Amino acid sequence: MSASRASSDDKVYDVHSGRLVIAIQAFLIESEGIRLMVDTCVGDCKERARPEFNHARFGWLGRLEAAGVSVHDIDLVLATHLHVDHVGCNTYYEDGRWRPTFPKARYLFVEEELNFWTSETARSPLERTGDYIGDSILPLFEAGRADIIGHRHVINSSIHLVPLPGHTPGHVGVCIESEGRRAIISGDLFHTPLQCENPDWSTRFCVGPEQSRQTRRAFFETHADTETIIIPAHFPYPCAGSIHRMGNHVYAFRFIRVEDISNVL
Ligand SMILES: [Zn+2]
């Protein structure tokens, strides 16, 4: 799309239903011999409060396999944050317990994020969603597959985390730098290009709406009109794009051209 009003783009806003178009997806990064999976979607056959998620069968792992990626190929798994739609395929159920989906992988958890979601404060949100911490996070610790990391953790010389707190307390982005270029998987810092036009909009899922607003504003200001490719967790295909300044604290998101994907990513 051009850097014009996102609300007029049917890719991100469905005028017929009056609803935003939101994708749920994962990102696989291959770098320096490491395969890192960022976010693992909603998962299958799990008990959830939301009817679309409850005991759903999305078949994401089957599609991953069809794309040529086996669960055995993944070395590291990281969630930008511990919400239900980012950790679901971390585990699967077999022989009476939840087991790691990626048998060889280490699962990385940002300390602030883990502390929050395993604290008393998180008890009531988890009652509203379904206990995904209990079935998709804690079993990885029990299986000895989990590592606790800082919010600026360095994966290798090309990949490091950047703290983007607010949506959740330990929410992080994943910065990938290679051959002088930079991309950032920005998680749920913003859910729709409409938030570029309205950076003060937080969602009802933001644990800290005010901090979310401040982090989003600072991020837009830093990356507007730069070469940085931004990859938000929930944007529909082609998902990635760049941020452009349109006025005082008003921005626009410009999707990359589909024909350019293999060149820039
Ligand atoms: Zn999300």
Side-chain angles (χ1 to χ4, degrees):
M1 72 177 221
S2 66
S4 59
R5 295 185 67 77
S7 51
S8 63
D9 183 353
D10 59 7
K11 183 158 59 249
V12 301
Y13 178 71
D14 178 19
V15 285
H16 300 294
S17 65
R19 289 171 175 262
L20 298 171
V21 179
I22 299 286
I24 296 177
Q25 56 207 331
F27 302 92
L28 175 61
I29 306 171
E30 297 180 272
S31 164
E32 300 176 25
I34 288 174
R35 283 186 158 187
L36 164 65
M37 185 66 76
V38 179
D39 293 339
T40 63
C41 306
V42 172
D44 287 353
C45 309
K46 292 186 167 177
E47 193 173 326
R48 299 290 182 254
R50 200 167 159 168
E52 316 89 286
F53 293 172
N54 190 34
H55 294 285
R57 289 178 182 270
F58 291 105
W60 177 76
L61 285 172
R63 290 198 299 283
L64 191 66
E65 190 88 38
V69 180
S70 157
V71 292
H72 297 273
D73 296 336
I74 305 303
D75 303 297
L76 297 171
V77 180
L78 169 81
T80 54
H81 61 295
L82 302 185
H83 266 162
V84 64
D85 52 330
H86 294 258
V87 298
C89 289
N90 278 0
T91 58
Y92 71 104
Y93 196 74
E94 189 180 73
D95 296 336
R97 61 190 168 102
W98 295 102
R99 297 166 185 273
T101 299
F102 304 98
K104 292 191 333 207
R106 301 299 304 175
Y107 288 73
L108 309 179
F109 295 100
V110 173
E111 187 169 17
E112 294 98 315
E113 189 70 359
L114 184 70
N115 288 348
F116 176 79
W117 289 107
T118 52
S119 71
E120 277 298 306
T121 322
R123 191 178 286 255
S124 65
L126 288 177
E127 278 170 9
R128 289 197 296 273
T129 53
D131 184 14
Y132 60 90
I133 300 297
D135 62 41
S136 302
I137 309 296
L138 299 183
L140 301 166
F141 283 87
E142 287 154 17
R145 309 299 308 177
D147 295 317
I148 299 174
I149 57 173
H151 60 197
R152 295 187 191 275
H153 183 74
V154 174
I155 304 280
N156 62 25
S157 64
S158 304
I159 307 170
H160 66 275
L161 307 189
V162 287
L164 297 172
H167 181 63
T168 59
H171 180 283
V172 291
V174 181
C175 182
I176 307 148
E177 290 173 317
S178 176
E179 297 173 1
R181 307 205 62 183
R182 176 190 293 134
I184 301 176
I185 296 173
S186 57
D188 285 15
L189 177 69
F190 55 126
H191 291 72
T192 163
L194 290 166
Q195 285 169 287
C196 294
E197 295 170 21
N198 306 277
D200 288 346
W201 288 2
S202 290
T203 69
R204 66 191 172 101
F205 303 109
C206 288
V207 172
E210 176 55 25
Q211 189 181 30
S212 175
R213 184 183 79 82
Q214 288 176 15
T215 302
R216 192 163 40 254
R217 270 184 175 242
F219 185 89
F220 289 170
E221 198 53 33
T222 301
H223 297 290
D225 299 329
T226 70
E227 301 272 292
T228 306
I229 297 165
I230 309 298
I231 309 173
H234 291 297
F235 278 23
Y237 186 80
C239 185
S242 50
I243 293 169
H244 300 269
R245 193 174 281 106
M246 303 300 283
N248 197 18
H249 302 301
V250 179
Y251 308 86
F253 189 85
R254 184 181 295 153
F255 282 93
I256 59 172
R257 298 189 315 166
V258 172
E259 55 268 38
D260 288 341
I261 287 179
S262 58
N263 294 332
V264 297
L265 294 179

